[in-house]
Amino acid sequence: MALALHAYEAAAKERLPGPVWDFFAGGSGTESMLTAGRKALDRMQLRPRCLVDVSHCDPRTRLLGSDLAAPLAVAPMAYHRLAHPEGEVATARAAGEAGVLLTVSMFASRTLEVIAAAASGPLWLQLYWLRNRAVMRDLIHRAEAAGYRALVLTVDAPRVATRPRDARNGWAIPPDIRAVNLPEETMSASHGSRAGESAIARHSRDQFDSSITWADLAWLRETTSLPLVLKGVLTAEDAELAVKHGVSALIVSNHGGRQLDFARSAPECLTEIVEAVKAADAECQVVLDGAIRHGADIAKALCLGADAVMTGRPALWGLAHSGTEGVTAVLRHLMDEFEEVMALMGAPTPTDFPRTGVTQPTCPH
Ligand SMILES: Cc1cc2nc3c(=O)[nH]c(=O)nc-3n(C[C@H](O)[C@H](O)[C@H](O)COP(=O)(O)O)c2cc1C
Ligand SMILES: CCCCCCC(=O)C(=O)O
């Protein structure tokens, strides 16, 4: 029997070792951002229209040229093998079965090629900018050859933020799980730890190039013809710059509360980013990421002008619960709820959600 999302969360918490659960669930600093996005979404109220023909609701949409069964994608998350022995292979199978997009983390624990072989839906590859560009170039070319359809550069993490739970646990990736797409020497540091700093936080300071600027996007452009997506944009100013640099999509995201503490929540930033993109008259799609737990959250994001949403931790809960089956159930649960909201909102397709369909989450700047 399919469970509600919170039941998958509870089951995952029970099954996983404490430090793994903390790595999944935890946030940075005071963890203020773990709840900020959820609170913003909960404050918004839907404004339904009635007497619309909703006898057939069709949640299908297109994101960067890929057909999706609903405006839903799985966010990039490192090391799925922490949740299930099959790792990203199980997640890819599930995303394909549900008809949604999967974004594969640069720190995936299965190879890009084996994930692609298991996937029947579209894949994007997420990147952090490493000091070693040869490693990045190799990864990008492998992604192209394996049929990945876009590159997602995460721009809110010049380094991994201090996450108190991980620091307290002396968190390090267990030795039998590896970021297998990166050369061993690039990764070895993430398996040892030092008091007060988790191994991955230290490792990110060693390996990530925190000196990159907008000008460096030119290198990515020269390296690949895949569309470029930026993840972690939270201001209109950066949205304008992204559009000027030819970015194809923006993921409005707080990194699930794991990076800048006391930041604005992603749902509160969505309107100004959508307006900045619209004002630039650019072909740039917008995706809301973080705290998506209900079909109604997808509807709220679409009303605010997003083209789709991403969900993160719920996929890991499903994975920890029962591998492919669990992830498929979690995704289907969100999609079924969304289809019902479409009917009750009087919005038979994703493009029928009007700006007036939701109250504004005010966030003046
Ligand atoms: C365990 C874990 C690992 C993550 N790894 C990455 C990553 O490798 N790259 C990245 O851009 N974001 C990463 N994220 C952030 C997610 O992509 C996403 O922004 C966040 O989980 C969304 O919030 P949600 O979990 O509330 O849906 C990670 C998140 C979690 C929970
Ligand atoms: C040096 C390893 C970085 C992986 C970080 C993944 C993660 O926890 C996150 O982005 O959040």
Side-chain angles (χ1 to χ4, degrees):
M1 192 187 68
L3 303 171
L5 288 201
H6 61 82
Y8 285 98
E9 179 177 17
K13 185 172 184 184
E14 204 173 290
R15 252 161 228 233
L16 295 170
V20 173
W21 173 256
D22 277 344
F23 173 61
F24 286 179
S28 56
T30 64
E31 297 198 328
S32 69
M33 298 310 296
L34 283 185
T35 48
R38 193 56 254 158
K39 281 185 191 153
L41 285 163
D42 285 340
R43 275 197 304 273
M44 293 180 211
Q45 295 162 336
L46 291 169
R47 298 181 69 251
R49 298 301 305 273
C50 48
L51 293 177
V52 176
D53 179 358
V54 289
S55 54
H56 178 67
C57 290
D58 183 355
R60 286 177 302 166
T61 195
R62 276 173 81 77
L63 192 60
L64 290 195
S66 292
D67 291 317
L68 304 182
L72 179 64
V74 179
M77 289 174 291
Y79 303 111
H80 287 203
R81 284 195 58 226
L82 289 168
H84 188 274
E86 284 197 299
E88 289 81 0
V89 163
T91 316
R93 236 186 262 125
E97 277 174 24
V100 306
L101 171 96
L102 169 64
T103 316
V104 174
S105 167
M106 171 182 241
F107 288 88
S109 49
R110 303 296 305 267
T111 66
L112 299 187
E113 294 78 8
V114 86
I115 298 168
S120 55
L123 299 173
W124 291 355
L125 173 66
Q126 176 269 337
L127 301 171
Y128 290 109
W129 201 298
L130 301 179
R131 292 182 204 271
N132 187 337
R133 291 198 187 185
V135 170
M136 289 180 66
R137 188 184 295 113
D138 171 61
L139 206 56
I140 291 168
H141 290 156
R142 280 175 54 199
E144 286 171 343
Y148 287 66
R149 301 194 189 170
L151 295 180
V152 176
L153 178 65
T154 298
V155 291
D156 58 14
R159 66 169 84 154
V160 169
T162 303
R163 298 171 185 165
R165 298 191 208 197
D166 293 347
R168 212 169 38 238
N169 293 333
W171 169 246
I173 306 301
D176 59 323
I177 296 178
R178 262 195 4 95
V180 291
N181 294 293
L182 298 171
E184 184 88 54
E185 63 276 12
T186 319
M187 289 311 306
S188 50
S190 61
H191 293 275
S193 77
R194 190 174 68 193
E197 190 181 37
S198 77
I200 68 160
R202 186 176 81 250
H203 182 65
S204 72
R205 284 202 283 123
D206 291 345
Q207 299 292 336
F208 291 9
D209 185 349
S210 55
S211 75
I212 58 151
T213 67
W214 291 97
D216 292 288
L217 296 186
W219 179 84
L220 270 183
R221 288 254 163 271
E222 286 159 19
T223 307
T224 181
S225 56
L226 288 176
L228 178 60
V229 179
L230 297 188
K231 174 171 181 279
V233 171
L234 289 177
T235 62
E237 297 91 303
D238 282 342
E240 280 164 24
L241 281 165
V243 161
K244 278 194 190 126
H245 286 80
V247 166
S248 300
L250 295 174
I251 303 172
V252 181
S253 169
N254 283 113
H255 210 112
R258 296 159 77 80
Q259 285 299 115
L260 179 65
D261 199 7
F262 303 115
R264 306 163 74 198
S265 79
E268 290 170 301
C269 303
L270 187 54
T271 301
E272 76 171 57
I273 288 173
V274 166
E275 281 171 4
V277 168
K278 218 181 266 166
D281 200 17
E283 291 233 350
C284 179
Q285 292 193 285
V286 178
V287 177
L288 178 67
D289 165 70
I292 301 294
R293 302 291 183 265
H294 307 287
D297 298 334
I298 307 177
K300 288 172 182 178
L302 296 189
C303 288
L304 293 175
D307 295 287
V309 303
M310 280 189 168
T311 187
R313 293 178 183 89
L316 293 178
W317 303 336
L319 190 59
H321 179 271
S322 48
T324 298
E325 204 182 302
V327 182
T328 308
V330 160
L331 296 173
R332 290 246 160 90
H333 178 84
L334 286 171
M335 290 161 73
D336 289 348
E337 278 192 356
F338 176 59
E339 198 272 340
E340 180 169 301
V341 174
M342 292 176 82
L344 301 181
M345 277 290 285
T349 77
T351 54
D352 292 323
F353 286 92
R355 177 61 200 86
T356 51
V358 72
T359 56
Q360 175 68 10
T362 42
C363 181
H365 61 285

